[in-house]
Structure formats: structure tokens, C-alpha cells
Amino acid sequence: MSVKNIAILFSGNGSNLEAILNKVHNKTFGNTTIKCTLCISNKPDAYGIIRAKKFELDTIIIENKNFKTREDFDKALVDEIQKYDIDLVVLAGFMRILTPVFTSQIKAINLHPSILPLFKGAHAIKESFQSEMMVGGVSVHMVSEELDGGKIIAQETFKREKNMSLEKWEEKTHSLEHEILPQSIINLLTE
């Protein structure tokens, strides 16, 4: 029996954090138990902090605004993560572009609300909805220096419905996110 430790980084609502904690934290898959050992947020008022507390997990706050450069912030993240025996870092709505200070030292995955390589960046849901694409979806990828450009490890899609609203598109996207991210963690840590 082995134990694999994950760190989850988030900036906001924390719905993906909660999906991971519900489906993965302290659960055993085959011969592997997965534990969330570390939660970090760059926002002291992120609702995800309250969600983590439901699982008796404290969140470490490292505010990017307290650092002069992206590299200084990333170094603080790396220093904190390296205090723990972390097997995988999961970015779950962590709204920061990470520099090589982070990406060269930390094995991490990110969830993105589009079918990459299409619609990179912060407005992916709206851009994919406004496109002529007949499908929407989500991607999980390895974190690299390039924004939303790391190796894709999982993707799921849904079909555009007739007269579909942006709200329904977002709902379908988030529903897929809550399935694909926990499953990707399981797949990566139990291979």
C-alpha cells in the first residue's frame, strides 16, 4: 500500500477543489491512497478556503500582490510545496501564469475549460461558447512555461444544444470539470 500526496492550488470559489476532495482525498484506488496534504490560495477571501475547512484542511495563503515579481511569488510557492512530500500539484482554478521558477521544479497539472489548444487563457468558456464550434469541453494538461500549453493528458466534450445559453454552456463545462480532474489525478498517481 502506498500513499500519494497532492497539493491543490486555487484562487476562487473552489468547486473543483471540493470535487477533488470528495472523490479523491483519503480514498484508496488499488494499492494507492491519495491524500490532499496541502492547500494554497493566493486570495485570502477565496471561498475555496471554507470548502477546504469542511474536510478539516487548512489553507496557506500566499498573496501574489505581496511580491515584486512573478518569479518571487513562484519561489514562495515552490518553497512552501517543497516543505511537504508532494507527488502531484493540482491547479484547480488557480488564476496565475507560472514562470519557469515554478514549472522547472514542480510536477503539476492544470484544468482548462476548453478543448485545448483552442481558446487558451482566462476567457475560454465565453470564447468557446461564442465560436462556431459544435462541441465544448475541458482539458487537463501538464503545467509548462507556455500558458495552457503543456502536454494534454485528458479531454472531455459535450455537444452544443439548439439555442443553448451561455449559462447552460458554463454549467456543462463545470460538470465535466468536476469529473475529469479527479479522474486525472487518480490515473496519474495509480499508473
Side-chain angles (χ1 to χ4, degrees):
M1 186 68 69
S2 70
V3 175
K4 299 286 187 177
N5 296 308
I6 62 171
I8 304 174
L9 280 56
F10 62 93
S11 296
N13 184 37
S15 66
N16 281 299
L17 164 80
E18 188 163 9
I20 294 165
L21 295 175
N22 273 324
K23 294 175 181 177
V24 175
H25 178 56
N26 281 335
K27 303 231 178 349
T28 302
F29 307 90
N31 292 327
T32 304
T33 299
I34 300 174
K35 291 183 181 288
C36 177
T37 309
L38 177 63
C39 294
I40 298 176
S41 178
N42 63 321
K43 303 285 184 194
D45 57 350
Y47 188 73
I49 296 166
I50 294 166
R51 293 181 192 263
K53 278 204 184 319
K54 286 196 269 185
F55 293 84
E56 299 179 359
L57 295 170
D58 290 325
T59 300
I60 293 170
I61 310 298
I62 304 175
E63 290 186 79
N64 51 282
K65 71 177 189 179
N66 295 336
F67 296 86
K68 284 187 173 151
T69 68
R70 286 183 183 278
E71 289 79 8
D72 290 346
F73 172 68
D74 287 3
K75 182 179 184 322
L77 285 179
V78 169
D79 290 348
E80 190 61 39
I81 292 165
Q82 289 179 341
K83 291 178 188 174
Y84 300 82
D85 182 23
I86 300 296
D87 296 287
L88 182 67
V89 173
V90 181
L91 308 186
F94 189 64
M95 303 308 288
R96 299 292 305 159
I97 296 172
L98 297 164
T99 69
V101 170
F102 183 96
T103 59
S104 66
Q105 297 182 73
I106 301 293
K107 178 183 178 183
I109 61 172
N110 183 46
L111 175 68
H112 186 73
S114 79
I115 299 300
L116 289 173
L118 302 173
F119 314 112
K120 293 181 178 185
H123 306 289
I125 292 177
K126 190 173 182 184
E127 289 172 6
S128 63
F129 173 75
Q130 291 174 340
S131 78
E132 295 183 12
M133 298 272 297
M134 294 308 294
V135 294
V138 297
S139 304
V140 177
H141 64 90
M142 300 305 296
V143 174
S144 70
E145 294 171 35
E146 183 189 345
L147 174 67
D148 299 325
K151 179 179 183 240
I152 296 168
I153 56 175
Q155 290 182 314
E156 291 287 336
T157 61
F158 61 87
K159 289 184 175 165
R160 184 184 295 267
E161 296 166 8
K162 189 175 171 124
N163 302 319
M164 195 171 197
S165 66
L166 175 59
E167 291 73 24
K168 184 71 174 169
W169 188 271
E170 282 186 37
E171 187 182 304
K172 289 246 188 206
T173 301
H174 294 314
S175 176
L176 281 183
E177 287 178 341
H178 296 165
E179 297 301 320
I180 194 172
L181 189 54
Q183 191 58 53
S184 295
I185 294 165
I186 295 163
N187 293 347
L188 282 169
L189 294 178
T190 60
E191 287 176 326

